Amino acid sequence: MTIADSQTGDAVVKATAAQTSTVIDIIARAFDDDPAVNWFVRQDHRRSAAVRQFFQMMAETLYLRHDENYLMSDGTGATMWLPPGISTQVGLLETLQQLPAVLRTVRWQGLRRLLQVQAVVDGNHPHEPHYYLFAIGTLPELRGQGIGSKLMQPMLERMDREGMPAYLENSKEQNLPFYERHGFEVTQQIQFPNGGPPLWLMWRKPR
């Protein structure tokens, strides 16, 4: 899928396997200040590397195989989606295979928090078929320039054609207006345990 912008010439393209690293780099930079991610990743001199490691781990265990990752052709933004009918839960074998990477990401003291996050996310995930937006991000220095809306457009149009809803978890309150402009509505606000940050569950009906 390629959707070009007639004014700027940039486009939303489906990310190839060779572009996976670029997608992860963009998402990691965009989520570097994310409250939920920083609640469980290690908070030392390797923090930024740990944020990237987390998204690489998620891509390798789940998102690459379903081929719904998209990229701005100029490298300014990226998204990671799951199609309808795909579970976000990762099997035991894959979890064990990723354990060394997990411990590099969170260290032992963050492992409990990561497990709590995963339990909350999986426990509240809708059962109705839908497209799931795991992550959308633009380069931090380019926020507010409409890149996120360009990234959203082709997938939202596709969902409307298919009559399919969409779902996401938002971990930054200041991003709520962005998602609401694109038709998402808050269905529930969750507070992670033991002083963790809030999470807003959002659902979009097809138009």
Side-chain angles (χ1 to χ4, degrees):
M1 180 177 67
T2 301
I3 305 294
D5 187 298
S6 60
Q7 294 182 335
T8 64
D10 53 0
V12 179
V13 298
K14 179 169 277 193
T16 65
Q19 292 172 318
T20 299
S21 182
T22 301
V23 171
I24 295 170
D25 285 343
I26 294 169
I27 295 295
R29 287 188 61 190
F31 278 77
D32 188 70
D33 63 347
D34 184 82
V37 173
N38 279 285
W39 189 56
F40 60 79
V41 300
R42 58 193 301 161
Q43 297 295 301
D44 56 20
H45 67 285
R46 295 181 58 191
R47 186 194 60 80
S48 292
V51 173
R52 191 191 188 284
Q53 177 71 53
F54 168 72
F55 285 103
Q56 180 175 338
M57 181 175 59
M58 296 301 294
E60 291 175 351
T61 56
L62 187 58
Y63 293 90
L64 288 180
R65 73 185 65 170
H66 298 293
D67 197 27
E68 292 291 353
N69 304 314
Y70 296 89
L71 184 69
M72 294 300 298
S73 59
D74 58 2
T76 56
T79 59
M80 299 170 70
W81 293 82
L82 283 182
I86 303 300
S87 173
T88 59
Q89 298 186 29
V90 178
L92 178 60
L93 177 60
E94 290 170 318
T95 299
L96 293 175
Q97 290 173 338
Q98 289 292 337
L99 187 57
V102 170
L103 294 179
R104 288 195 301 272
T105 301
V106 302
R107 307 186 75 174
W108 281 110
Q109 58 264 42
L111 182 57
R112 180 180 177 183
R113 289 182 174 183
L114 177 58
L115 294 175
Q116 288 174 330
V117 168
Q118 196 61 50
V120 167
V121 169
D122 290 343
N124 289 277
H125 205 94
H127 297 292
E128 179 182 345
H130 61 277
Y131 282 90
Y132 172 54
L133 178 56
F134 171 62
I136 178 170
T138 63
L139 296 179
E141 63 270 22
L142 299 177
R143 286 173 179 164
Q145 298 187 20
I147 297 169
S149 293
K150 290 179 182 179
L151 279 166
M152 278 281 201
Q153 179 189 352
M155 284 299 286
L156 297 185
E157 291 177 352
R158 174 179 170 185
M159 293 173 217
D160 291 342
R161 289 194 304 270
E162 297 177 4
M164 189 65 63
Y167 173 74
L168 60 86
E169 299 107 0
N170 173 45
S171 49
K172 294 179 76 172
E173 186 171 9
Q174 58 264 45
N175 289 343
L176 288 172
F178 168 78
Y179 293 120
E180 289 168 347
R181 285 197 302 272
H182 291 88
F184 288 88
E185 299 178 352
V186 175
T187 59
Q188 188 177 357
Q189 180 179 340
I190 293 173
Q191 190 76 35
F192 287 120
N194 302 316
L199 191 72
W200 290 267
L201 311 184
M202 305 189 75
W203 184 260
R204 180 187 185 273
K205 298 177 182 179
R207 296 175 175 175

mmCIF file of all heavy atoms in Angstrom, residues 126-166:
data_model
loop_
_atom_site.group_PDB
_atom_site.id
_atom_site.type_symbol
_atom_site.label_atom_id
_atom_site.label_comp_id
_atom_site.label_asym_id
_atom_site.label_seq_id
_atom_site.Cartn_x
_atom_site.Cartn_y
_atom_site.Cartn_z
ATOM 1 N N PRO A 126 -10.264 -5.997 23.617
ATOM 2 C CA PRO A 126 -11.593 -6.402 23.131
ATOM 3 C C PRO A 126 -11.552 -7.735 22.384
ATOM 4 O O PRO A 126 -10.543 -8.071 21.749
ATOM 5 C CB PRO A 126 -11.978 -5.257 22.171
ATOM 6 C CG PRO A 126 -11.086 -4.121 22.521
ATOM 7 C CD PRO A 126 -9.824 -4.725 23.036
ATOM 8 N N HIS A 127 -12.651 -8.470 22.468
ATOM 9 C CA HIS A 127 -12.757 -9.739 21.760
ATOM 10 C C HIS A 127 -13.370 -9.565 20.371
ATOM 11 O O HIS A 127 -13.174 -10.419 19.502
ATOM 12 C CB HIS A 127 -13.594 -10.725 22.582
ATOM 13 C CG HIS A 127 -12.964 -11.071 23.908
ATOM 14 N ND1 HIS A 127 -11.803 -11.795 24.020
ATOM 15 C CD2 HIS A 127 -13.342 -10.770 25.184
ATOM 16 C CE1 HIS A 127 -11.484 -11.945 25.283
ATOM 17 N NE2 HIS A 127 -12.400 -11.335 26.025
ATOM 18 N N GLU A 128 -14.090 -8.489 20.165
ATOM 19 C CA GLU A 128 -14.687 -8.226 18.848
ATOM 20 C C GLU A 128 -13.591 -8.012 17.807
ATOM 21 O O GLU A 128 -12.582 -7.352 18.091
ATOM 22 C CB GLU A 128 -15.570 -6.972 18.932
ATOM 23 C CG GLU A 128 -16.214 -6.579 17.617
ATOM 24 C CD GLU A 128 -17.043 -5.300 17.752
ATOM 25 O OE1 GLU A 128 -17.328 -4.914 18.901
ATOM 26 O OE2 GLU A 128 -17.373 -4.702 16.718
ATOM 27 N N PRO A 129 -13.743 -8.552 16.594
ATOM 28 C CA PRO A 129 -12.716 -8.346 15.561
ATOM 29 C C PRO A 129 -12.456 -6.856 15.313
ATOM 30 O O PRO A 129 -13.384 -6.056 15.231
ATOM 31 C CB PRO A 129 -13.328 -9.020 14.329
ATOM 32 C CG PRO A 129 -14.254 -10.055 14.888
ATOM 33 C CD PRO A 129 -14.832 -9.441 16.138
ATOM 34 N N HIS A 130 -11.184 -6.501 15.173
ATOM 35 C CA HIS A 130 -10.810 -5.100 15.006
ATOM 36 C C HIS A 130 -9.364 -5.008 14.539
ATOM 37 O O HIS A 130 -8.600 -5.972 14.640
ATOM 38 C CB HIS A 130 -10.943 -4.351 16.341
ATOM 39 C CG HIS A 130 -10.055 -4.888 17.410
ATOM 40 N ND1 HIS A 130 -10.409 -5.987 18.187
ATOM 41 C CD2 HIS A 130 -8.810 -4.528 17.836
ATOM 42 C CE1 HIS A 130 -9.444 -6.254 19.038
ATOM 43 N NE2 HIS A 130 -8.452 -5.396 18.843
ATOM 44 N N TYR A 131 -8.991 -3.856 14.039
ATOM 45 C CA TYR A 131 -7.589 -3.537 13.798
ATOM 46 C C TYR A 131 -7.017 -2.934 15.086
ATOM 47 O O TYR A 131 -7.657 -2.094 15.715
ATOM 48 C CB TYR A 131 -7.432 -2.546 12.650
ATOM 49 C CG TYR A 131 -7.580 -3.170 11.283
ATOM 50 C CD1 TYR A 131 -8.828 -3.250 10.664
ATOM 51 C CD2 TYR A 131 -6.476 -3.682 10.606
ATOM 52 C CE1 TYR A 131 -8.969 -3.819 9.408
ATOM 53 C CE2 TYR A 131 -6.609 -4.259 9.350
ATOM 54 C CZ TYR A 131 -7.853 -4.320 8.765
ATOM 55 O OH TYR A 131 -7.995 -4.900 7.520
ATOM 56 N N TYR A 132 -5.823 -3.369 15.436
ATOM 57 C CA TYR A 132 -5.199 -2.916 16.680
ATOM 58 C C TYR A 132 -3.977 -2.058 16.356
ATOM 59 O O TYR A 132 -3.036 -2.519 15.697
ATOM 60 C CB TYR A 132 -4.786 -4.120 17.522
ATOM 61 C CG TYR A 132 -3.958 -3.783 18.743
ATOM 62 C CD1 TYR A 132 -4.408 -2.860 19.684
ATOM 63 C CD2 TYR A 132 -2.728 -4.396 18.965
ATOM 64 C CE1 TYR A 132 -3.648 -2.559 20.813
ATOM 65 C CE2 TYR A 132 -1.967 -4.114 20.090
ATOM 66 C CZ TYR A 132 -2.433 -3.193 21.005
ATOM 67 O OH TYR A 132 -1.684 -2.890 22.111
ATOM 68 N N LEU A 133 -4.002 -0.814 16.811
ATOM 69 C CA LEU A 133 -2.863 0.075 16.639
ATOM 70 C C LEU A 133 -1.955 -0.050 17.861
ATOM 71 O O LEU A 133 -2.247 0.500 18.914
ATOM 72 C CB LEU A 133 -3.330 1.519 16.463
ATOM 73 C CG LEU A 133 -2.222 2.578 16.329
ATOM 74 C CD1 LEU A 133 -1.277 2.247 15.172
ATOM 75 C CD2 LEU A 133 -2.825 3.964 16.147
ATOM 76 N N PHE A 134 -0.860 -0.774 17.701
ATOM 77 C CA PHE A 134 0.071 -0.963 18.812
ATOM 78 C C PHE A 134 0.901 0.294 19.044
ATOM 79 O O PHE A 134 1.116 0.713 20.188
ATOM 80 C CB PHE A 134 0.995 -2.141 18.510
ATOM 81 C CG PHE A 134 2.135 -2.284 19.480
ATOM 82 C CD1 PHE A 134 1.899 -2.520 20.825
ATOM 83 C CD2 PHE A 134 3.447 -2.179 19.036
ATOM 84 C CE1 PHE A 134 2.961 -2.650 21.721
ATOM 85 C CE2 PHE A 134 4.508 -2.305 19.922
ATOM 86 C CZ PHE A 134 4.261 -2.540 21.265
ATOM 87 N N ALA A 135 1.365 0.912 17.958
ATOM 88 C CA ALA A 135 2.218 2.085 18.122
ATOM 89 C C ALA A 135 2.165 2.950 16.874
ATOM 90 O O ALA A 135 2.137 2.445 15.753
ATOM 91 C CB ALA A 135 3.655 1.667 18.405
ATOM 92 N N ILE A 136 2.141 4.254 17.088
ATOM 93 C CA ILE A 136 2.298 5.230 16.016
ATOM 94 C C ILE A 136 3.228 6.313 16.551
ATOM 95 O O ILE A 136 3.104 6.735 17.704
ATOM 96 C CB ILE A 136 0.943 5.828 15.572
ATOM 97 C CG1 ILE A 136 1.162 6.879 14.469
ATOM 98 C CG2 ILE A 136 0.157 6.421 16.736
ATOM 99 C CD1 ILE A 136 -0.142 7.337 13.817
ATOM 100 N N GLY A 137 4.176 6.724 15.727
ATOM 101 C CA GLY A 137 5.129 7.714 16.201
ATOM 102 C C GLY A 137 5.756 8.507 15.076
ATOM 103 O O GLY A 137 5.916 8.004 13.956
ATOM 104 N N THR A 138 6.092 9.739 15.381
ATOM 105 C CA THR A 138 6.852 10.579 14.466
ATOM 106 C C THR A 138 8.145 11.002 15.155
ATOM 107 O O THR A 138 8.260 10.925 16.388
ATOM 108 C CB THR A 138 6.060 11.832 14.049
ATOM 109 O OG1 THR A 138 5.811 12.631 15.224
ATOM 110 C CG2 THR A 138 4.715 11.438 13.441
ATOM 111 N N LEU A 139 9.099 11.449 14.388
ATOM 112 C CA LEU A 139 10.336 11.932 14.993
ATOM 113 C C LEU A 139 10.004 13.088 15.933
ATOM 114 O O LEU A 139 9.239 13.979 15.570
ATOM 115 C CB LEU A 139 11.309 12.384 13.909
ATOM 116 C CG LEU A 139 11.783 11.275 12.958
ATOM 117 C CD1 LEU A 139 12.732 11.860 11.912
ATOM 118 C CD2 LEU A 139 12.469 10.146 13.728
ATOM 119 N N PRO A 140 10.539 13.077 17.152
ATOM 120 C CA PRO A 140 10.151 14.092 18.151
ATOM 121 C C PRO A 140 10.291 15.524 17.671
ATOM 122 O O PRO A 140 9.458 16.372 17.998
ATOM 123 C CB PRO A 140 11.103 13.793 19.319
ATOM 124 C CG PRO A 140 11.446 12.356 19.171
ATOM 125 C CD PRO A 140 11.494 12.091 17.694
ATOM 126 N N GLU A 141 11.317 15.803 16.891
ATOM 127 C CA GLU A 141 11.532 17.181 16.444
ATOM 128 C C GLU A 141 10.533 17.626 15.380
ATOM 129 O O GLU A 141 10.469 18.801 15.025
ATOM 130 C CB GLU A 141 12.959 17.343 15.904
ATOM 131 C CG GLU A 141 13.280 16.502 14.682
ATOM 132 C CD GLU A 141 13.833 15.118 15.017
ATOM 133 O OE1 GLU A 141 13.591 14.638 16.139
ATOM 134 O OE2 GLU A 141 14.504 14.533 14.139
ATOM 135 N N LEU A 142 9.701 16.683 14.888
ATOM 136 C CA LEU A 142 8.728 17.005 13.842
ATOM 137 C C LEU A 142 7.286 16.860 14.321
ATOM 138 O O LEU A 142 6.365 16.870 13.502
ATOM 139 C CB LEU A 142 8.961 16.106 12.617
ATOM 140 C CG LEU A 142 10.333 16.236 11.944
ATOM 141 C CD1 LEU A 142 10.461 15.242 10.803
ATOM 142 C CD2 LEU A 142 10.551 17.656 11.434
ATOM 143 N N ARG A 143 7.088 16.745 15.620
ATOM 144 C CA ARG A 143 5.729 16.620 16.141
ATOM 145 C C ARG A 143 4.927 17.878 15.826
ATOM 146 O O ARG A 143 5.458 18.987 15.778
ATOM 147 C CB ARG A 143 5.762 16.408 17.656
ATOM 148 C CG ARG A 143 6.203 15.021 18.074
ATOM 149 C CD ARG A 143 6.380 14.914 19.579
ATOM 150 N NE ARG A 143 6.792 13.568 19.980
ATOM 151 C CZ ARG A 143 7.299 13.279 21.164
ATOM 152 N NH1 ARG A 143 7.448 14.222 22.088
ATOM 153 N NH2 ARG A 143 7.665 12.038 21.451
ATOM 154 N N GLY A 144 3.627 17.688 15.616
ATOM 155 C CA GLY A 144 2.742 18.824 15.355
ATOM 156 C C GLY A 144 2.714 19.273 13.919
ATOM 157 O O GLY A 144 2.105 20.309 13.619
ATOM 158 N N GLN A 145 3.302 18.514 13.012
ATOM 159 C CA GLN A 145 3.343 18.901 11.601
ATOM 160 C C GLN A 145 2.416 18.058 10.735
ATOM 161 O O GLN A 145 2.504 18.093 9.510
ATOM 162 C CB GLN A 145 4.775 18.822 11.078
ATOM 163 C CG GLN A 145 5.734 19.770 11.791
ATOM 164 C CD GLN A 145 7.108 19.823 11.158
ATOM 165 O OE1 GLN A 145 7.292 19.467 9.992
ATOM 166 N NE2 GLN A 145 8.098 20.271 11.912
ATOM 167 N N GLY A 146 1.524 17.288 11.364
ATOM 168 C CA GLY A 146 0.538 16.526 10.597
ATOM 169 C C GLY A 146 1.005 15.176 10.098
ATOM 170 O O GLY A 146 0.273 14.506 9.367
ATOM 171 N N ILE A 147 2.193 14.750 10.515
ATOM 172 C CA ILE A 147 2.709 13.470 10.034
ATOM 173 C C ILE A 147 1.879 12.312 10.573
ATOM 174 O O ILE A 147 1.571 11.351 9.854
ATOM 175 C CB ILE A 147 4.187 13.314 10.437
ATOM 176 C CG1 ILE A 147 5.016 14.404 9.769
ATOM 177 C CG2 ILE A 147 4.710 11.930 10.039
ATOM 178 C CD1 ILE A 147 6.434 14.527 10.299
ATOM 179 N N GLY A 148 1.502 12.394 11.847
ATOM 180 C CA GLY A 148 0.687 11.326 12.423
ATOM 181 C C GLY A 148 -0.637 11.154 11.700
ATOM 182 O O GLY A 148 -1.102 10.031 11.477
ATOM 183 N N SER A 149 -1.264 12.259 11.312
ATOM 184 C CA SER A 149 -2.537 12.187 10.581
ATOM 185 C C SER A 149 -2.340 11.528 9.221
ATOM 186 O O SER A 149 -3.182 10.741 8.768
ATOM 187 C CB SER A 149 -3.121 13.588 10.419
ATOM 188 O OG SER A 149 -3.504 14.122 11.672
ATOM 189 N N LYS A 150 -1.231 11.848 8.540
ATOM 190 C CA LYS A 150 -0.946 11.207 7.255
ATOM 191 C C LYS A 150 -0.773 9.699 7.436
ATOM 192 O O LYS A 150 -1.236 8.906 6.611
ATOM 193 C CB LYS A 150 0.318 11.803 6.638
ATOM 194 C CG LYS A 150 0.166 13.235 6.151
ATOM 195 C CD LYS A 150 1.476 13.756 5.579
ATOM 196 C CE LYS A 150 1.351 15.203 5.140
ATOM 197 N NZ LYS A 150 2.633 15.737 4.604
ATOM 198 N N LEU A 151 -0.098 9.310 8.512
ATOM 199 C CA LEU A 151 0.094 7.886 8.771
ATOM 200 C C LEU A 151 -1.228 7.167 9.048
ATOM 201 O O LEU A 151 -1.418 6.021 8.647
ATOM 202 C CB LEU A 151 1.017 7.708 9.983
ATOM 203 C CG LEU A 151 2.519 7.837 9.754
ATOM 204 C CD1 LEU A 151 3.238 7.970 11.081
ATOM 205 C CD2 LEU A 151 3.054 6.634 8.982
ATOM 206 N N MET A 152 -2.117 7.842 9.733
ATOM 207 C CA MET A 152 -3.415 7.258 10.083
ATOM 208 C C MET A 152 -4.323 7.084 8.868
ATOM 209 O O MET A 152 -5.084 6.118 8.776
ATOM 210 C CB MET A 152 -4.127 8.167 11.089
ATOM 211 C CG MET A 152 -3.701 7.983 12.517
ATOM 212 S SD MET A 152 -4.490 6.535 13.233
ATOM 213 C CE MET A 152 -4.334 6.921 14.961
ATOM 214 N N GLN A 153 -4.281 8.030 7.951
ATOM 215 C CA GLN A 153 -5.298 8.140 6.899
ATOM 216 C C GLN A 153 -5.551 6.851 6.119
ATOM 217 O O GLN A 153 -6.703 6.406 6.025
ATOM 218 C CB GLN A 153 -4.923 9.261 5.925
ATOM 219 C CG GLN A 153 -5.906 9.426 4.781
ATOM 220 C CD GLN A 153 -5.404 10.402 3.712
ATOM 221 O OE1 GLN A 153 -4.377 11.060 3.910
ATOM 222 N NE2 GLN A 153 -6.105 10.461 2.604
ATOM 223 N N PRO A 154 -4.538 6.218 5.527
ATOM 224 C CA PRO A 154 -4.839 5.041 4.701
ATOM 225 C C PRO A 154 -5.437 3.883 5.467
ATOM 226 O O PRO A 154 -6.328 3.195 4.962
ATOM 227 C CB PRO A 154 -3.471 4.672 4.094
ATOM 228 C CG PRO A 154 -2.466 5.342 4.950
ATOM 229 C CD PRO A 154 -3.113 6.565 5.493
ATOM 230 N N MET A 155 -4.982 3.661 6.709
ATOM 231 C CA MET A 155 -5.543 2.562 7.485
ATOM 232 C C MET A 155 -6.972 2.849 7.910
ATOM 233 O O MET A 155 -7.840 1.959 7.873
ATOM 234 C CB MET A 155 -4.672 2.284 8.707
ATOM 235 C CG MET A 155 -3.391 1.539 8.388
ATOM 236 S SD MET A 155 -3.661 -0.101 7.668
ATOM 237 C CE MET A 155 -4.200 -1.036 9.101
ATOM 238 N N LEU A 156 -7.262 4.088 8.295
ATOM 239 C CA LEU A 156 -8.632 4.424 8.684
ATOM 240 C C LEU A 156 -9.573 4.303 7.489
ATOM 241 O O LEU A 156 -10.708 3.827 7.630
ATOM 242 C CB LEU A 156 -8.676 5.836 9.269
ATOM 243 C CG LEU A 156 -7.882 6.054 10.562
ATOM 244 C CD1 LEU A 156 -8.115 7.463 11.093
ATOM 245 C CD2 LEU A 156 -8.244 5.015 11.630
ATOM 246 N N GLU A 157 -9.127 4.724 6.327
ATOM 247 C CA GLU A 157 -9.946 4.582 5.124
ATOM 248 C C GLU A 157 -10.193 3.107 4.810
ATOM 249 O O GLU A 157 -11.294 2.720 4.391
ATOM 250 C CB GLU A 157 -9.264 5.276 3.952
ATOM 251 C CG GLU A 157 -9.243 6.797 4.075
ATOM 252 C CD GLU A 157 -8.512 7.473 2.940
ATOM 253 O OE1 GLU A 157 -7.881 6.745 2.122
ATOM 254 O OE2 GLU A 157 -8.547 8.717 2.862
ATOM 255 N N ARG A 158 -9.188 2.307 4.995
ATOM 256 C CA ARG A 158 -9.330 0.859 4.774
ATOM 257 C C ARG A 158 -10.349 0.262 5.742
ATOM 258 O O ARG A 158 -11.207 -0.536 5.349
ATOM 259 C CB ARG A 158 -7.963 0.205 4.958
ATOM 260 C CG ARG A 158 -7.956 -1.310 4.909
ATOM 261 C CD ARG A 158 -6.524 -1.774 5.074
ATOM 262 N NE ARG A 158 -6.396 -3.202 5.283
ATOM 263 C CZ ARG A 158 -5.242 -3.810 5.537
ATOM 264 N NH1 ARG A 158 -4.132 -3.102 5.605
ATOM 265 N NH2 ARG A 158 -5.198 -5.118 5.717
ATOM 266 N N MET A 159 -10.283 0.648 7.014
ATOM 267 C CA MET A 159 -11.234 0.130 7.996
ATOM 268 C C MET A 159 -12.658 0.557 7.671
ATOM 269 O O MET A 159 -13.602 -0.222 7.830
ATOM 270 C CB MET A 159 -10.843 0.617 9.387
ATOM 271 C CG MET A 159 -9.545 0.050 9.895
ATOM 272 S SD MET A 159 -9.066 0.842 11.431
ATOM 273 C CE MET A 159 -7.292 0.918 11.210
ATOM 274 N N ASP A 160 -12.815 1.793 7.225
ATOM 275 C CA ASP A 160 -14.151 2.269 6.868
ATOM 276 C C ASP A 160 -14.701 1.480 5.681
ATOM 277 O O ASP A 160 -15.891 1.147 5.648
ATOM 278 C CB ASP A 160 -14.101 3.765 6.559
ATOM 279 C CG ASP A 160 -13.839 4.607 7.803
ATOM 280 O OD1 ASP A 160 -14.032 4.100 8.915
ATOM 281 O OD2 ASP A 160 -13.448 5.777 7.644
ATOM 282 N N ARG A 161 -13.854 1.194 4.702
ATOM 283 C CA ARG A 161 -14.301 0.386 3.549
ATOM 284 C C ARG A 161 -14.710 -1.003 3.991
ATOM 285 O O ARG A 161 -15.684 -1.567 3.485
ATOM 286 C CB ARG A 161 -13.188 0.287 2.500
ATOM 287 C CG ARG A 161 -12.884 1.557 1.739
ATOM 288 C CD ARG A 161 -12.035 1.269 0.510
ATOM 289 N NE ARG A 161 -10.792 0.584 0.840
ATOM 290 C CZ ARG A 161 -9.644 1.210 1.122
ATOM 291 N NH1 ARG A 161 -9.608 2.536 1.127
ATOM 292 N NH2 ARG A 161 -8.556 0.523 1.398
ATOM 293 N N GLU A 162 -13.971 -1.565 4.945
ATOM 294 C CA GLU A 162 -14.240 -2.927 5.401
ATOM 295 C C GLU A 162 -15.309 -2.990 6.494
ATOM 296 O O GLU A 162 -15.736 -4.080 6.874
ATOM 297 C CB GLU A 162 -12.947 -3.563 5.925
ATOM 298 C CG GLU A 162 -11.868 -3.723 4.867
ATOM 299 C CD GLU A 162 -10.573 -4.290 5.434
ATOM 300 O OE1 GLU A 162 -10.551 -4.631 6.636
ATOM 301 O OE2 GLU A 162 -9.588 -4.399 4.679
ATOM 302 N N GLY A 163 -15.718 -1.817 7.011
ATOM 303 C CA GLY A 163 -16.669 -1.794 8.107
ATOM 304 C C GLY A 163 -16.096 -2.373 9.392
ATOM 305 O O GLY A 163 -16.816 -3.008 10.174
ATOM 306 N N MET A 164 -14.810 -2.134 9.613
ATOM 307 C CA MET A 164 -14.105 -2.749 10.731
ATOM 308 C C MET A 164 -13.691 -1.681 11.752
ATOM 309 O O MET A 164 -13.176 -0.626 11.390
ATOM 310 C CB MET A 164 -12.856 -3.468 10.218
ATOM 311 C CG MET A 164 -12.152 -4.328 11.251
ATOM 312 S SD MET A 164 -13.135 -5.745 11.826
ATOM 313 C CE MET A 164 -13.304 -6.680 10.294
ATOM 314 N N PRO A 165 -13.915 -1.919 13.041
ATOM 315 C CA PRO A 165 -13.487 -0.967 14.068
ATOM 316 C C PRO A 165 -11.985 -1.039 14.315
ATOM 317 O O PRO A 165 -11.286 -1.930 13.806
ATOM 318 C CB PRO A 165 -14.270 -1.397 15.304
ATOM 319 C CG PRO A 165 -14.502 -2.857 15.103
ATOM 320 C CD PRO A 165 -14.644 -3.065 13.628
ATOM 321 N N ALA A 166 -11.492 -0.093 15.134
ATOM 322 C CA ALA A 166 -10.082 -0.060 15.515
ATOM 323 C C ALA A 166 -9.974 0.171 17.016
ATOM 324 O O ALA A 166 -10.875 0.733 17.640
ATOM 325 C CB ALA A 166 -9.344 1.037 14.752
#
